[in-house]
Amino acid sequence: MRISTSQIFQNGIDVIQRQQAEISRTQNQLGTGRRILSPSDDPSGSVQALQFESRIDQTKQFQRNGGLAEQRLRLTEVTLASVGDGLQRIRELSVKANNATETDETRRYIAGEMQQVLNSLVDLGNTRDANGEYLFAGYKSQTQPFVMKDGEVEYQGDDKARQVDISPVRKMAVGDPGNQVFGDAGVPGALKDGNGTFTTFPDNDPEENEGSGVISAGSVVDRKAWQEAVDAVSGELSYSVTFADDGETFTVKAFDSNDPGTALAGDPFDTLPTNEPFKSGEAIAFNGISFDIKGTPNVDDEFTIRPSKPQSLFAGVQNIIDALQSPVGTSTAPVNNAINRGLSELDNALGHVLDTRATVGARLNALENQDNLNRDQILQLETTISEIRDLDYAEAISRFNLQQVGLQAAQQSYTQVARLTLFDYIR
């Protein structure tokens, strides 16, 4: 086998270049701290690392979603707290106005302050977040949800709750539609007038009641019996309490809205009180409900009891304001009846707002727990990637030193071989 001088030189150069390439690769590994510099270094490990990196990026996006949701929910919680404060102030003013010492003038002053509080409640319903989007407009985040027209507050948003992903399998509502928060009609869990189950009020024209009778908001003592009575009619059930014998006796009759002129008879309406002695403040109970009437009703005075209907908290407050602005004649019974009813509705509204705040708080807790889970998951994924991709410095430094020795040996060998010529053997 013949070996030429050029071949010897070329082999020596190839060895040196190969050693230099290996040293350069090891230096890059030491500089970056990574074992895998290109997919060819470890195809399987590279694929696994890319998959884990994708999951880390996705989880970090979930964390950003959670952060935005937390900001929005905290603003919602603060806003609802202010709504509760406003309702509490209206309740205090209502109690103050429900006093015989108040005059038409002082009641108008109270109504004026209530109107200002009501306006602030509407403003709270139109609260925007840092992005300029309305909190309580549902998906219509660019549409002002509440507008006051002709003394009534109208809702212009929708009944959808915006949601964001906080994990691959979990969504979180970042707000509540205004018609649910403020109890507009037509949505599940809407606020209702009266005590939430039934409402009591004087005759449709309160001025026709000439006596001083004031009816309470009442309560449900047997919900099953009440519901059986409601289900027994084809339309809307209503009861009327009328007085005779100079207001000393009362009679209760039931009516169906489909046949309002005919009193209902038979079960469960055949046991309604008839010509019963009336005592001021004594409970009147039938068909699962109980209430009382205080004062002295006149003959033919009438009170109505019917199932509660959906009503927003804005409408409930406006009803109290309207009652306080109406002049009172010889008897304050009309305004007292309106305030009694309004106080019951305010209590329901306060409870509804507190319930909504509780759900917001629960979501904030869930966000915090999910954020902790996401952090743990990211840490675990990063640890796994490190095990696959990161460099073992002790092994790499030992290899680097060995490669330097190999390069030096190759260089020295090349130097010695390069000196060999045939002329050295000619004498």
Side-chain angles (χ1 to χ4, degrees):
M1 178 178 180
R2 296 179 59 189
I3 300 176
S4 66
T5 300
S6 62
Q7 186 176 1
I8 293 173
F9 286 173
Q10 186 62 48
N11 288 339
I13 292 173
D14 289 343
V15 171
I16 292 172
Q17 289 178 336
R18 186 164 53 251
Q19 291 290 343
Q20 287 175 332
E22 290 179 356
I23 288 176
S24 176
R25 179 175 178 276
T26 303
Q27 286 176 326
N28 286 336
Q29 288 178 328
L30 290 169
T32 60
R34 293 188 176 183
R35 179 180 64 86
I36 302 175
L37 298 177
S38 63
S40 60
D41 293 338
D42 185 350
S44 176
S46 297
V47 171
Q48 286 182 312
L50 288 173
Q51 290 175 338
F52 288 134
E53 282 182 338
S54 177
R55 289 188 60 186
I56 288 174
D57 291 340
Q58 184 183 44
T59 305
K60 287 181 177 180
Q61 181 60 56
F62 290 142
Q63 281 188 301
R64 288 191 289 271
N65 291 349
L68 294 173
E70 181 181 2
Q71 294 175 7
R72 194 174 169 92
L73 288 175
R74 290 198 183 282
L75 179 58
T76 300
E77 202 279 334
V78 171
T79 302
L80 291 176
S82 298
V83 171
D85 292 340
L87 290 174
Q88 188 61 46
R89 178 55 183 163
I90 289 176
R91 195 183 192 289
E92 293 170 359
L93 292 172
S94 299
V95 172
K96 179 181 178 181
N98 198 21
N99 192 310
T101 62
E102 300 293 337
T103 64
D104 287 348
E105 185 177 18
T106 58
R107 277 190 286 269
R108 283 196 299 272
Y109 293 153
I110 294 173
E113 183 178 349
M114 282 188 180
Q115 186 65 56
Q116 295 303 315
V117 178
L118 176 59
N119 293 341
S120 70
L121 291 176
V122 176
D123 288 341
L124 289 171
N126 292 325
T127 300
R128 299 178 186 230
D129 62 13
N131 296 322
E133 298 180 332
Y134 291 100
L135 284 182
F136 303 112
Y139 283 172
K140 296 183 178 180
S141 58
Q142 300 298 327
T143 301
Q144 181 175 327
F146 295 103
V147 176
M148 186 173 287
K149 296 180 180 179
D150 301 326
E152 294 185 359
V153 179
E154 297 182 2
Y155 179 64
Q156 300 184 125
D158 59 28
D159 58 355
K160 302 292 191 303
R162 296 178 61 187
Q163 296 183 327
V164 297
D165 293 320
I166 59 172
S167 80
V169 295
R170 189 176 185 184
K171 295 180 181 293
M172 179 64 66
V174 297
D176 297 279
N179 55 355
Q180 292 183 7
V181 175
F182 296 91
D184 198 26
V187 295
L191 282 171
K192 294 184 178 182
D193 59 9
N195 59 25
T197 301
F198 64 91
T199 184
T200 61
F201 51 91
D203 187 34
N204 292 330
D205 184 359
E207 294 183 358
E208 292 186 3
N209 279 9
E210 298 178 352
S212 60
V214 177
I215 190 169
S216 68
S219 60
V220 179
V221 295
D222 187 342
R223 193 165 297 277
K224 180 180 179 181
W226 165 257
Q227 193 60 46
E228 287 177 351
V230 172
D231 295 340
V233 300
S234 56
E236 180 184 286
L237 171 67
S238 66
Y239 295 98
S240 69
V241 182
T242 56
F243 291 85
D245 301 329
D246 293 332
E248 293 183 358
T249 62
F250 69 93
T251 297
V252 178
K253 294 182 180 180
F255 297 91
D256 188 333
S257 61
N258 290 334
D259 188 11
T262 304
L264 296 172
D267 188 52
F269 307 111
D270 53 2
T271 58
L272 295 177
T274 302
N275 295 326
E276 292 289 328
F278 170 73
K279 292 183 180 180
S280 175
E282 188 174 274
I284 300 174
F286 54 84
N287 289 357
I289 63 173
S290 176
F291 57 89
D292 64 70
I293 299 174
K294 295 179 180 179
T296 307
N298 284 0
V299 175
D300 296 332
D301 280 0
E302 182 177 354
F303 295 87
T304 300
I305 300 94
R306 62 160 174 77
S308 295
K309 297 180 179 180
Q311 174 182 272
S312 71
L313 65 83
F314 300 124
V317 173
Q318 189 63 55
N319 289 338
I320 299 176
I321 294 173
D322 293 340
L324 294 179
Q325 290 176 335
S326 301
V328 174
T330 57
S331 173
T332 61
V335 70
N336 295 145
N337 278 306
I339 291 176
N340 279 354
R341 179 181 174 186
L343 287 172
S344 178
E345 292 169 354
L346 285 172
D347 289 340
N348 290 339
L350 282 166
H352 181 75
V353 171
L354 286 174
D355 289 343
T356 306
R357 286 183 64 185
T359 63
V360 172
R363 275 176 271 173
L364 284 169
N365 289 336
L367 282 174
E368 183 178 356
N369 293 335
Q370 187 63 48
D371 181 67
N372 291 333
L373 289 174
N374 288 340
R375 290 177 186 275
D376 292 341
Q377 187 176 22
I378 289 174
L379 178 60
Q380 183 60 45
L381 290 171
E382 289 177 341
T383 301
T384 303
I385 289 179
S386 176
E387 293 173 352
I388 295 173
R389 186 177 59 189
D390 287 356
L391 182 68
D392 182 350
Y393 276 93
E395 182 274 334
I397 292 173
S398 298
R399 175 162 37 91
F400 179 73
N401 291 332
L402 181 61
Q403 288 170 344
Q404 282 186 316
V405 172
L407 176 61
Q408 291 173 356
Q411 290 172 337
Q412 291 176 358
S413 298
Y414 178 78
T415 302
Q416 294 297 325
V417 171
R419 293 176 182 173
L420 296 176
T421 69
L422 293 175
F423 293 103
D424 291 335
Y425 298 97
I426 296 175
R427 300 297 179 181

